[in-house]
Amino acid sequence: MRALLCKSHGLPDTLVLEDVPSLTPGKGEVVVQVKAAAVNFHDTLIIQNLYQHKPELPFSPGADLAGIIKAVGEGVTGYKVGDRVIGLLRWGGFAEEALVPAGRLAALPSGVDFPDAVALGLAYTTSYYGLKNCAHLAPGETLLVLGAAGGIGSAAVQLGSVMGARVIACASSAESLEICRRLGAAETINYHTDDLRDCVRRFTNGRGLDVVCDPVGGKLADAAVRGMAWQGRYLVIGFASGEIPRVPLNITLLKGCSILGVSRGQFMDREPEKSKANADELFAWLAAGKITPVITARYRLDQARDALNDMMQRKLHGKAVILI
Ligand SMILES: NC(=O)c1ccc[n+]([C@@H]2O[C@H](COP(=O)([O-])OP(=O)(O)OC[C@H]3O[C@@H](n4cnc5c(N)ncnc54)[C@H](OP(=O)(O)O)[C@@H]3O)[C@@H](O)[C@H]2O)c1
């Protein structure tokens, strides 16, 4: 089978596509014949050895994969050869076959295709965990989303509006903000041309933000924290800007607000039942047409390096998928 391999850490062009032996499942694992994998910012970090989890070399990047079970290991219950599944991993998806622990699988409802399933994967399960389990977002509340046209951001815009919140989307271009409007954003802020704090004051009549979803970090975080409402909740999801912000803690005291770390990986490991319930709920919403990820780019496995380069150069909006 063919696999895109990271043999030494570096930028996407250092990845190599090779023929490797077919996989055999260990205890508690299945082998999935991969049909689609999503492109996530996470993949760009893991190949550079910049992610907190560090797989042994060589490995294939690709955190979300969907396909058909090809072989089932000892002790696996509830799944059989031929089942359509998604694997929610940290790496291993950019290959024709992937090993997935049974606890990291979810069954795909009929009617959900493989590209939509992976586009939902990491992005939607992370945003939903943040909005539902960490922030307890309630209908009628105001949600500000930074990096709103990216993978995590576009999921948060759509889920926030489905959950009944009034969503303010922030991104860096008119094209990105148009996508956010299609996903349900009521207001938009272009952070290259608009002043974030002024817009927040205007859009909330001075009341402030109930919840902020932040996968970007950097300078925008300061303005967003200062725009919080009394007892607001600030979700720390990631640092796509490359800069970890430092927030003056006196602001949390003055606003009675909370800063909440959101780690989907740890949620899956530490609270597997709740995590599975969230994934089942999201796939049911996908099957019912209540949510639809925006897929704006499709690549083949031999183009996966281009996909990761495009993501690093901020050329992608919504989700990009690799079709295998
Ligand atoms: N905590 C968790 O469990 C978890 C799970 C998944 C991902 N994450 C993290 O969340 C972050 C976003 O991931 P993603 O997959 O949504 O990425 P993405 O699709 O690339 O989206 C990131 C967005 O951030 C904005 N951005 C602002 N400054 C940027 C910069 N200097 N470089 C790149 N993007 C910049 C971009 O929007 P504009 O160009 O419009 O500004 C882009 O759309 C990453 O740090 C990732 O590691 C965390």
Side-chain angles (χ1 to χ4, degrees):
M1 67 110 174
R2 289 180 315 152
L4 188 72
L5 295 177
C6 176
K7 295 178 117 177
S8 59
H9 296 118
L11 292 168
D13 289 339
T14 61
L15 299 170
V16 287
L17 188 61
E18 283 191 3
D19 275 314
V20 296
S22 204
L23 302 174
T24 308
K27 197 172 174 185
E29 291 177 335
V30 306
V31 173
V32 175
Q33 185 187 352
V34 182
K35 297 290 187 187
V39 181
N40 288 293
F41 196 86
H42 161 111
D43 308 319
T44 68
L45 298 177
I46 205 163
I47 59 172
Q48 297 179 77
N49 206 22
L50 297 176
Y51 186 62
Q52 62 262 41
H53 295 275
K54 303 191 185 294
E56 262 179 47
L57 297 170
F59 70 93
S60 295
D64 292 314
L65 62 97
I68 298 169
I69 294 184
K70 194 180 169 201
V72 176
E74 190 193 327
V76 173
T77 54
Y79 295 99
K80 61 181 187 320
V81 171
D83 282 353
R84 300 168 73 253
V85 290
I86 179 165
L88 301 164
L89 298 174
R90 291 191 170 101
W91 61 85
F94 290 0
E96 288 173 341
E97 292 178 9
L99 273 179
V100 186
R104 291 272 180 162
L105 287 170
L108 288 187
S110 60
V112 170
D113 68 18
F114 296 121
D116 277 350
V118 288
L120 185 139
L122 178 60
Y124 278 70
T125 55
T126 303
S127 290
Y128 196 41
Y129 165 54
L131 297 176
K132 177 183 163 180
N133 304 85
C134 302
H136 304 287
L137 180 69
E141 288 195 315
T142 301
L143 164 69
L144 180 97
V145 182
L146 299 175
I152 294 281
S154 60
V157 169
Q158 191 169 51
L159 289 169
S161 82
V162 165
M163 292 164 84
R166 179 164 166 263
V167 179
I168 304 174
C170 307
S172 62
S173 72
E175 188 190 354
S176 297
L177 292 171
E178 179 49 38
I179 292 175
C180 298
R181 284 206 176 272
R182 277 195 266 137
L183 287 166
E187 308 287 355
T188 57
I189 301 174
N190 181 328
Y191 39 54
H192 276 175
T193 55
D194 302 328
D195 182 89
L196 187 66
R197 282 192 75 192
D198 283 352
C199 290
V200 166
R201 256 187 239 116
R202 191 152 40 87
F203 292 150
T204 65
N205 291 323
R207 191 184 157 273
L209 305 161
D210 298 302
V211 177
V212 173
C213 172
D214 182 4
V216 181
K219 293 182 182 53
L220 297 170
D222 187 71
V225 172
R226 289 176 196 276
M228 305 285 297
W230 173 245
Q231 293 193 334
R233 288 87 74 205
Y234 193 101
L235 299 174
V236 179
I237 298 196
F239 312 103
S241 67
E243 190 186 328
I244 298 177
R246 291 176 186 277
V247 173
L249 287 182
N250 63 319
I251 297 179
T252 63
L253 183 152
L254 294 171
K255 294 179 177 286
C257 69
S258 316
I259 297 182
L260 300 160
V262 178
S263 167
R264 187 216 56 163
Q266 294 211 53
F267 179 55
M268 289 186 86
D269 293 340
R270 292 168 186 265
E271 302 189 61
E273 281 92 25
K274 280 191 192 168
S275 164
K276 185 176 179 332
N278 278 8
D280 289 345
E281 201 173 349
L282 289 171
F283 283 112
W285 285 359
L286 181 63
K290 195 168 167 182
I291 53 174
T292 312
V294 181
I295 299 175
T296 55
R298 291 172 171 78
Y299 302 83
R300 299 186 308 267
L301 184 57
D302 62 353
Q303 298 171 320
R305 286 172 286 237
D306 303 335
L308 294 175
N309 278 322
D310 288 348
M311 169 155 271
M312 291 184 77
Q313 289 161 23
R314 289 166 82 171
K315 289 183 182 165
L316 300 178
H317 305 294
K319 291 301 300 177
V321 295
I322 312 288
L323 303 175
I324 301 174

